[in-house]
Amino acid sequence: MLRTQPPRLPGSARSLAASRAGFRWVMGLWDLPPLLLVLLDCWASVSAQAGATPVVTTEGLYSTKPAPTTFRPAVSPRPHETPRAPRPSSGPRPTPVTDVAALCVCDLSPALCDVNCCCDPDCSSVDFSVFSACSIPVVMGDSQFCSQKAAIYSLNFTADPPQRVFKLVDQINPSIFCIHITNYKPALSFINPEVPDESNFDKLMKTSDGFSSNAESDVSLTAKPDAPNTAKYEVPGSGTKVPITVQSITIQSLNKTLTRQEDTDVLRPLVLVEAGHDKICTNVILEVKYSLMYTDAGEIVKADVFVLLGAVSSAMVPFQQKFEIYFIQQNTKPVPLSGNPGYVVGLPLAAGFQPQKGSGIMQTTNRYGQLTLLRSTAEQDCLAIAGIRTPVLFGYNMQSGCKLRLTKAITCRLVAQKVESLLKGQGFPDYVAPFGNSQAQDVLDWVPVHFITQTSHMKDSCQLPVALAIEVKWTKYGSLSNPQAKIVNVTANLISSSFPETNSGNKRTILISTAVTFVDVSAPAEAGFRARPTINARLPFNFFFPFV
């Protein structure tokens, strides 16, 4: 029996033929499925490219001289197959976008030669002769491309003087999932967005209907012609749209007079009027306020807008527009605060009392009546102004008083009780809020009021309180750029004096006064510096030998 030796094939073709024979033996089929054949052909083509010798250039700094290379196709007999046309993947590779020969990542100093940076164009042959090594030996682009250039730098120390050697080679990626060509060039660099200003505003408004959008984006930002004119607020994450209702449109003139526009469905257009050398633009948006109402679950159910239009002259430019937004919970009334979080100068102090241990702070609904002083009147009669109080405002030192006329008919104890009630007022608080937005349930955060009584005893005299002095100590809390006012201590000092008993028919007039003082106890800000490093230097015992 005669056996014939099959013809020898190239290395990649032999591997391909062996692989195909193995597939036929395992699957028990003479032919492979088309998908497997395509993958095997791709593998054979890539293997042939990987086995070729890369193009190497050693002449010149940035010149290339590719050597001719012949690729032999891998062919194997394909019985019972229809011949297919050759694929266009064997054509020339695309030009690389990044020029690695001109790329130098270690060039950090402009117009100066960086040490051991072999790709630095500022370095000369004299500089290269003193280099010890190349800090960046290989410079290449994205490794996911199928074909790309790579710049290789090295030093030839055998030459005299040492020289820099530059090579520009082609690197082939054997992966079948490599990127053949980059067809989306904007992704290769970051384009800074154009900021609108006076010079390019009109151009940006004409581009893409006033919106900066990508040509490949599938999101349309332009207004649809069949869309309703009613503006809507879309709740994030829910897809629900709440209509925005224009509650009021107010017109402000140049002399600050306000006129309310009756028709809120029409927004007046801008009108430019020339008055002599001055130009006036009317119906300019000066202020917009949004009011969003939400439920306990955090869902937006109502949206209102208040617009203020006005006239602006050329002498007023540039002017500042104002935009505000308010969130109001449904079925609740907004509670005004004295600050958020720190106190604001001129707003009343938040105060209250604790009815029993473990309970929260109780406060009156009148925020201007939680901590009060006597109010001075023209009559200055203490008995006539009983119940008339003035609130304690943060940051305002105040003093008030009145006159009390004593007669024999009024007993000393009754007068003492009446004057003390007059000084304290109804329901003198036990606690003061440290911040303007402190919650009543956070009892431990509230500052207790330290009540001090000062008396002077005298024989056969009447002890009467004559003054109530309140001292509020506060400090700047938080960052230096935006400090918040925080109350840290409150002291109420009730001062009593001794008066001799009045004789029959004699009258005595006593001055009663109240005062509040705010004291800033903030520590001065000091610049902080890091501690100096400690040098633990240890010298060998024979370092100064033979001198010591």
Side-chain angles (χ1 to χ4, degrees):
M1 183 177 179
L2 298 176
R3 291 183 298 177
T4 59
Q5 182 73 16
R8 294 184 59 84
L9 299 176
S12 58
R14 289 198 302 270
S15 301
L16 178 59
S19 300
R20 287 178 177 172
F23 274 106
R24 291 192 182 97
W25 181 78
V26 172
M27 300 178 63
L29 297 176
W30 184 261
D31 294 329
L32 291 176
L35 178 60
L36 290 177
L37 291 176
V38 171
L39 292 177
L40 288 173
D41 289 342
C42 294
W43 177 85
S45 177
V46 172
S47 299
Q49 294 181 9
T53 304
V55 179
V56 181
T57 61
T58 57
E59 299 292 335
L61 183 60
Y62 295 114
S63 62
T64 60
K65 187 177 180 181
T69 305
T70 304
F71 296 98
R72 292 178 294 176
V75 181
S76 61
R78 294 182 182 177
H80 306 287
E81 266 192 338
T82 302
R84 291 178 297 176
R87 290 180 298 274
S89 61
S90 60
R93 301 186 185 95
T95 305
V97 179
T98 304
D99 185 8
V100 294
L103 184 64
C104 188
V105 295
C106 59
D107 185 8
L108 305 179
S109 303
L112 293 175
C113 178
D114 292 271
V115 179
N116 289 340
C117 184
C118 296
C119 58
D120 193 345
D122 300 322
C123 297
S124 61
S125 57
V126 179
D127 298 325
F128 293 140
S129 63
V130 295
F131 283 4
S132 59
C134 292
S135 58
I136 305 295
V138 180
V139 179
M140 59 184 298
D142 193 350
S143 60
Q144 297 182 359
F145 285 101
C146 298
S147 174
Q148 62 174 328
K149 297 285 185 180
I152 301 178
Y153 300 91
S154 61
L155 294 175
N156 183 10
F157 294 101
T158 60
D160 189 18
Q163 298 178 356
R164 191 271 309 266
V165 179
F166 169 76
K167 295 181 182 180
L168 189 63
V169 300
D170 284 336
Q171 286 196 350
I172 306 301
N173 188 355
S175 175
I176 63 174
F177 299 105
C178 61
I179 300 175
H180 180 66
I181 185 174
T182 304
N183 54 3
Y184 185 59
K185 293 185 178 180
L188 299 178
S189 61
F190 176 75
I191 303 176
N192 292 325
E194 193 171 1
V195 180
D197 53 16
E198 296 179 357
S199 60
N200 61 359
F201 183 80
D202 295 335
K203 183 187 69 174
L204 294 179
M205 288 297 296
K206 295 178 182 179
T207 305
S208 302
D209 295 335
F211 295 93
S212 177
S213 58
N214 194 336
E216 298 185 2
S217 176
D218 57 351
V219 180
S220 177
L221 300 177
T222 58
K224 297 181 180 179
D226 56 347
N229 294 328
T230 305
K232 293 185 178 181
Y233 175 81
E234 184 173 354
V235 181
S238 64
T240 306
K241 295 184 178 181
V242 180
I244 300 178
T245 305
V246 181
Q247 293 293 342
S248 66
I249 298 178
T250 308
I251 309 298
Q252 178 178 298
S253 62
L254 286 176
N255 56 1
K256 306 301 181 181
T257 58
L258 300 178
T259 305
R260 186 162 183 173
Q261 182 177 331
E262 296 181 359
D263 189 7
T264 59
D265 296 334
V266 179
L267 194 63
R268 297 181 180 181
L270 295 174
V271 178
L272 183 61
V273 181
E274 294 187 4
H277 298 286
D278 197 4
K279 294 182 180 180
I280 301 175
C281 187
T282 60
N283 302 327
V284 179
I285 295 180
L286 301 179
E287 183 176 325
V288 178
K289 295 182 179 180
Y290 293 94
S291 176
L292 301 181
M293 183 173 291
Y294 63 97
T295 61
D296 296 338
E299 181 183 2
I300 303 293
V301 294
K302 185 180 179 182
D304 299 329
V305 63
F306 305 85
V307 182
L308 176 63
L309 305 179
V312 178
S313 63
S314 57
M316 299 170 55
V317 294
F319 68 97
Q320 185 175 4
Q321 294 175 310
K322 185 178 180 181
F323 298 91
E324 297 180 3
I325 184 169
Y326 298 93
F327 292 89
I328 302 175
Q329 188 173 353
Q330 192 178 24
N331 300 327
T332 58
K333 293 183 179 180
V335 179
L337 302 174
S338 297
N340 189 21
Y343 276 98
V344 177
V345 176
L347 295 182
L349 264 64
F353 60 93
Q354 188 178 18
Q356 58 183 0
K357 190 175 182 180
S359 64
I361 302 297
M362 301 293 294
Q363 296 176 267
T364 61
T365 56
N366 181 17
R367 58 193 295 252
Y368 287 91
Q370 298 177 4
L371 182 59
T372 58
L373 297 177
L374 279 174
R375 176 182 291 183
S376 300
T377 59
E379 295 80 9
Q380 295 187 356
D381 188 359
C382 294
L383 298 180
I385 65 173
I388 302 178
R389 314 286 294 182
T390 184
V392 176
L393 305 179
F394 181 81
Y396 286 7
N397 297 333
M398 295 184 292
Q399 185 175 2
S400 61
C402 60
K403 295 180 180 180
L404 179 64
R405 295 175 177 85
L406 301 178
T407 61
K408 183 66 175 179
I410 305 177
T411 61
C412 178
R413 178 174 297 181
L414 181 60
V415 173
Q417 294 177 357
K418 182 66 176 178
V419 173
E420 184 176 356
S421 176
L422 186 66
L423 292 174
K424 291 183 177 180
Q426 186 179 2
F428 191 80
D430 299 330
Y431 292 90
V432 174
F435 292 106
N437 63 347
S438 297
Q439 302 296 323
Q441 61 269 18
D442 302 331
V443 183
L444 298 178
D445 296 339
W446 285 59
V447 180
V449 178
H450 301 282
F451 203 87
I452 302 175
T453 303
Q454 294 182 0
T455 59
S456 59
H457 297 280
M458 185 182 297
K459 187 177 182 181
D460 297 334
S461 62
C462 179
Q463 296 288 333
L464 295 179
V466 295
L468 177 64
I470 301 176
E471 185 183 55
V472 180
K473 295 181 180 180
W474 65 280
T475 183
K476 297 181 181 69
Y477 183 84
S479 63
L480 294 176
S481 59
N482 186 22
Q484 303 294 315
K486 177 184 179 181
I487 295 177
V488 294
N489 183 270
V490 179
T491 303
N493 192 359
L494 184 62
I495 303 174
S496 300
S497 297
S498 299
F499 298 93
E501 294 288 347
T502 58
N503 299 326
S504 59
N506 295 335
K507 294 182 179 180
R508 182 184 296 272
T509 302
I510 302 175
L511 297 178
I512 307 297
S513 64
T514 56
V516 60
T517 306
F518 288 87
V519 181
D520 185 3
V521 295
S522 303
E526 297 180 358
F529 299 96
R530 290 185 177 180
R532 292 186 177 182
T534 57
I535 302 176
N536 297 325
R538 294 185 178 182
L539 302 177
F541 68 94
N542 59 349
F543 181 78
F544 295 101
F545 180 81
F547 304 101
V548 178

